[in-house]
Amino acid sequence: MRGHLPDENPGFVGRRTELERVSAALAEHRLVTVTGVGGVGKTRLALRAAHRAAERYPDGAWWTDLGQLDGERLLVALVADSVDLADHTPGMAATGLCRRLAGDRLLLVLDSCEHLAEPCARLVAELLAAAPGLTVLATSRRPLGVAGEETIALDPLPPAGPDALALLRRAAGEDFPAAGPAGEICVRLEGIPLALELAAAQIRLQSAEAVRDQLGSRLDAAPGARFDLLAHTERVWPSRHQTLRAAIGWSHELSTPLERLLWARLSVFRGPFDLASATAVCTGGPLDRATLPEALDGLVRASVVRPPDAAGRHRMLDTIREYGATWLDRTGEAGTVADRHAAHFRGLAGRAETEWHGARQLRWYRTVDAHHTDLRTALDRLLRTDPDAALDLVGSVAFAWSCRGRLREARDGLEQALLLSEARGRVRARALWALGVTLVLQGEFGPAQDVSERCAREARHAEYAEPAGAGAGAGVGTGTGAGAGTETGAGIETGAGTGSGRDRPGDLTLDAAALAGLLALTTGRPTAAHVVVGHVLDAARGGPADSAARLRCHLVRVFALTGLGRLAEAREKALRLRALCEELDEHWTRTALEYQLALTGLLEGDPVAASGHARAMLEGTRRLGASLGVALGLDVLATALAAAGEGERAADVSGTGEAYWRSTGQPRRGLPGLRALHEKYTDTVRASIGEPAYEEIFVRALTGLPQDGLDRALRGPGQHG
């Protein structure tokens, strides 16, 4: 089934009437918002309703958790990511999302909209206007206020009813009688699901009688004495929410001092966190590496922190995290812990970049992806407090973000940091390189040319003692001199540096050359690409295995040789590079080389070899989660199948490829040579199997599940079933 919804909470209890109301509203209205106080069960109800309704939407039901955002800047990017739109197009951020959804019939769930109610309302209104087949289900503590919105207010479970008691029983793991302490707890906590879960956690540690007595003394106190936290005037809790706040405060009081301290400090995490991250960010004072794991276990037992998932990651519910954040403010540690959080994730980003070239590349690539929310949170903090550190962080992860399809976030972060930071040298050169790659992938070749020239100047500034423009040392020219506008258009400079003692280009210059070469390749200038990387590689010491920058330059040179028609030489160099990548256990370059070898096979008239390399590329891009790479790989595979006369399979793979291209938000692209071959062989198989048959297969693949189409494409000869 299309779409993505989280697994349902096995503790869902009751809500039959409310579920029917939501289901009926979704059948009649295009925007349905479930409102209610925090902890009342809005997310659970919306998730159950989405699972129930999913089959009515041919293009799927998709889930977006907005609780991880602390501002609207990345709202569109997060929603786009949640519907598998790796938008590579420039322009207004919402345009690609509107275009992606325009022809689809799907359900989009926006969870936890309250802190972004106004920007959510604007985005939802724009999407509903652009996509007639779109239905939006939102959860929020207040309505969004969009025309046509159907609001369903969610109340707590009836305190004296069977559902509240069933929830308490399930959460506590005991079959309490209806009469007695358990029933009294349900009434005292007014049937609020989150409050009942917190009470159940304490029942597991104590007893129902003890919990009833503790709640009684707390809730029967005067209102001003119920809470161990001073109310903030800007955060007024509705009267019904006072009970939940009392329950959370009671859980807070029952926690040990170290658990309370950890609860407050953990509130800086906006996404899932593991023990290593919690330890790095939250230690200090009495909470050290020895005591933190026990404190974390205590919070898990109390249901304040969710148990670890299969990957060992914990998370906090928003309401509980907000409570902890208010305590963190009260302790005066908020800024200190936020700075520690930012420093930790800056360090993680730096380690990921350092280990990109080698056997741990895939592991770090996935680590960056898993911690994406907190890396963004750290970046936002550093943009406000330390722009130079922000430039360092985003320069370390932007290439991985771009590979993953998060081009808007990479570009936005890089451009902001470059504007605010005054840092020079390596950090700026690396960020300019990452921005240039991002712009090329977005098809913004004019701005990419400008950034490429700036990157080259910054590389020279960083690697040579003499001022940029003095002509000393090896470097990539700016394209503004005699070479500008020519076939090479890069103005390569090589030679012995004077005064600095460094007479060879380093990795910054190599990456600047690789960027200039990539830009030349994508704009149909293979000679320029070959010259720009060739001059720098000839002047540099070392081989391709010595650094990621050297490997990238060698990769560009292989593609340039292919574009120049020097196919045997290109294939021989590509095979050697691939063997080297296999030794290094390097994935990204190896995948790109499989694409080049597939293209070479096509140009040499060997479609069988091309098909094998295309499938190897697809396996690699699937591991990397790179939708643009999958789209490119499907195109070359479809072309190879067509060249081999397998018309029906070519149509199927081509239709799947079109589905992946649409997920990138841009029309089909690729190297100029492949586009011509694709059109040539597609026309041939259309004629051979007949236009109606080709179109039927193509449309069936286009409208089917993309993952199913990719699975079919990856089956080799004799594996068609």
Side-chain angles (χ1 to χ4, degrees):
M1 181 177 293
R2 283 178 179 267
H4 171 70
L5 295 173
D7 293 334
E8 289 193 71
N9 188 320
F12 188 91
V13 170
R15 300 297 196 191
R16 289 177 292 276
T17 301
E18 295 91 338
L19 187 59
E20 292 298 333
R21 287 183 61 200
V22 175
S23 298
L26 288 173
E28 296 181 13
H29 302 275
R30 297 184 60 211
L31 172 60
V32 178
T33 303
V34 179
T35 64
V37 297
V40 80
K42 300 184 295 296
T43 296
R44 291 184 190 184
L45 179 64
L47 183 56
R48 171 61 64 92
H51 274 284
R52 195 181 198 191
E55 62 183 14
R56 301 208 306 260
Y57 298 92
D59 295 298
W62 306 82
W63 186 272
T64 308
D65 175 14
L66 300 180
Q68 59 188 279
L69 297 180
D70 60 0
E72 66 176 285
R73 185 168 57 85
L74 296 172
L75 171 62
V76 176
L78 180 62
V79 175
D81 195 46
S82 73
V83 297
D84 280 351
L85 173 60
D87 188 3
H88 294 69
T89 57
M92 293 296 292
T95 304
L97 183 56
C98 288
R99 187 163 50 244
R100 156 73 172 84
L101 303 180
D104 288 350
R105 286 182 55 205
L106 59 79
L107 175 66
L108 175 63
V109 187
L110 301 178
D111 186 41
S112 301
C113 297
E114 52 274 347
H115 63 305
L116 299 171
E118 292 183 5
C120 277
R122 291 194 298 270
L123 177 60
V124 167
E126 189 172 352
L127 293 177
L128 291 174
L134 172 66
T135 299
V136 176
L137 173 59
T139 72
S140 178
R141 294 178 191 173
R142 60 187 177 92
L144 298 183
V146 176
E149 179 181 27
E150 176 71 4
T151 302
I152 296 177
L154 186 63
D155 292 322
L157 297 167
D163 290 342
L165 184 61
L167 175 58
L168 188 67
R169 285 170 172 166
R170 181 172 295 183
E174 289 190 40
D175 189 15
F176 306 112
E184 294 178 47
I185 290 170
C186 293
V187 171
R188 287 188 174 277
L189 294 179
E190 300 179 13
I192 299 172
L194 178 55
L196 293 172
E197 286 190 347
L198 293 171
Q202 292 302 325
I203 289 173
R204 293 195 300 268
L205 299 174
Q206 306 179 53
S207 68
E209 291 80 1
V211 168
R212 176 199 59 190
D213 294 343
Q214 291 170 10
L215 283 173
S217 63
R218 184 178 185 85
L219 295 175
D220 291 341
R226 288 182 186 176
F227 311 116
D228 51 9
L229 178 64
L230 296 175
H232 282 215
T233 56
E234 74 276 8
R235 191 176 294 174
V236 179
W237 292 50
S239 57
R240 182 181 289 158
H241 216 157
Q242 300 292 351
T243 299
L244 175 60
R245 189 176 181 189
I248 296 175
W250 165 69
S251 294
H252 191 260
E253 284 183 354
L254 292 177
S255 301
T256 67
L258 288 183
E259 289 169 356
R260 290 198 290 268
L261 181 58
L262 180 58
W263 182 345
R265 290 176 179 176
L266 285 174
S267 68
V268 298
F269 289 95
R270 298 202 68 92
F273 56 88
D274 54 24
L275 177 60
S277 293
T279 301
V281 173
C282 299
T283 51
L287 196 60
D288 56 28
R289 290 181 175 274
T291 57
L292 186 143
E294 183 179 351
L296 181 58
D297 287 343
L299 293 177
V300 171
R301 288 193 298 272
S303 290
V304 171
V305 172
R306 293 306 192 199
D309 60 17
R313 294 189 295 265
H314 300 269
R315 67 180 308 136
M316 260 185 193
L317 291 181
D318 288 345
T319 306
I320 291 176
R321 181 173 54 80
E322 289 170 7
Y323 189 91
T326 313
W327 266 97
L328 191 64
D329 285 339
R330 190 180 181 189
T331 64
E333 284 193 339
T336 300
V337 178
D339 288 340
R340 210 152 55 214
H341 174 275
H344 169 68
F345 283 100
R346 178 189 176 193
L348 183 145
R351 292 194 299 277
E353 184 205 18
T354 300
E355 302 208 25
W356 177 265
H357 184 63
R360 294 162 66 87
Q361 183 188 85
L362 193 59
R363 174 184 178 275
W364 277 105
Y365 180 84
R366 290 171 176 167
T367 297
V368 167
D369 199 44
H371 291 289
H372 181 63
T373 297
D374 280 291
L375 282 165
R376 286 189 327 211
T377 301
L379 175 60
D380 287 342
R381 171 74 181 176
L382 293 173
L383 285 170
R384 296 190 298 270
T385 63
D386 189 348
D388 292 351
L391 187 66
D392 182 46
L393 186 156
V394 73
S396 296
V397 298
F399 184 64
W401 285 0
S402 294
C403 292
R404 185 66 175 80
R406 295 188 169 104
L407 293 179
R408 291 197 184 284
E409 294 175 68
R411 179 176 179 178
D412 177 74
L414 287 164
E415 288 180 337
Q416 284 202 73
L418 284 164
L419 180 65
L420 294 172
S421 171
E422 296 181 357
R424 295 295 309 274
R426 178 183 179 275
V427 171
R428 180 165 291 269
R430 183 189 53 185
L432 287 166
W433 166 75
L435 178 58
V437 172
T438 302
L439 291 168
V440 170
L441 292 176
Q442 285 189 313
E444 293 243 56
F445 301 129
Q449 178 64 40
D450 173 66
V451 170
S452 176
E453 293 167 2
R454 290 166 58 196
C455 179
R457 289 196 295 270
E458 197 64 37
R460 285 199 305 276
H461 173 85
E463 292 184 346
Y464 300 96
E466 291 193 17
V476 183
T478 66
T480 57
T486 67
E487 170 65 12
T488 61
I492 307 302
E493 300 170 12
T494 59
T498 57
S500 70
R502 287 178 289 178
D503 59 353
R504 300 286 180 177
D507 282 350
L508 297 178
T509 298
L510 286 158
D511 260 339
L515 171 58
L518 174 64
L519 180 58
L521 284 173
T522 52
T523 52
R525 296 177 293 123
T527 299
H530 189 260
V531 169
V532 74
V533 297
H535 273 269
V536 176
L537 283 173
D538 289 345
R541 289 194 179 97
D546 290 350
S547 71
R550 282 171 170 77
L551 195 56
R552 285 188 279 262
C553 277
H554 281 276
L555 176 65
V556 170
R557 183 154 68 177
V558 165
F559 273 96
L561 289 170
T562 306
L564 292 171
R566 295 160 60 177
L567 302 181
E569 186 180 357
R571 184 179 65 256
E572 184 269 333
K573 289 185 180 296
L575 289 171
R576 277 194 288 156
L577 276 181
R578 188 184 66 175
L580 181 60
C581 289
E582 289 171 351
E583 290 178 19
L584 293 169
D585 197 21
E586 201 277 355
H587 292 261
W588 184 83
T589 305
R590 192 191 325 178
T591 297
L593 287 166
E594 295 289 3
Y595 177 73
Q596 183 275 337
L597 286 164
L599 180 58
T600 301
L602 281 171
L603 292 170
E604 290 183 321
D606 189 350
V608 174
S611 295
H613 290 302
R615 289 192 181 91
M617 180 209 177
L618 287 168
E619 289 284 9
T621 52
R622 183 161 67 170
R623 281 194 298 270
L624 292 169
S627 58
L628 178 60
V630 171
L632 288 166
L634 288 168
D635 272 2
V636 74
L637 178 58
T639 305
L641 291 170
E646 298 188 52
E648 293 181 354
R649 298 197 69 207
D652 182 56
V653 173
S654 191
T656 302
E658 178 63 24
Y660 274 94
W661 277 113
R662 291 186 182 184
S663 78
T664 71
Q666 66 179 26
R668 268 187 156 100
R669 281 213 312 232
L671 294 178
L674 177 61
R675 291 199 297 269
L677 288 171
H678 184 74
E679 292 173 5
K680 170 187 172 183
Y681 289 119
T682 298
D683 289 344
T684 300
V685 296
R686 280 179 181 271
S688 67
I689 69 172
E691 186 73 21
Y694 186 95
E695 282 299 315
E696 180 184 352
I697 298 170
F698 181 92
V699 171
R700 186 165 61 239
L702 171 62
T703 56
L705 295 177
Q707 183 58 55
D708 289 350
L710 180 57
D711 289 341
R712 291 193 303 273
L714 285 168
R715 297 183 191 125
Q719 298 176 299
H720 301 174

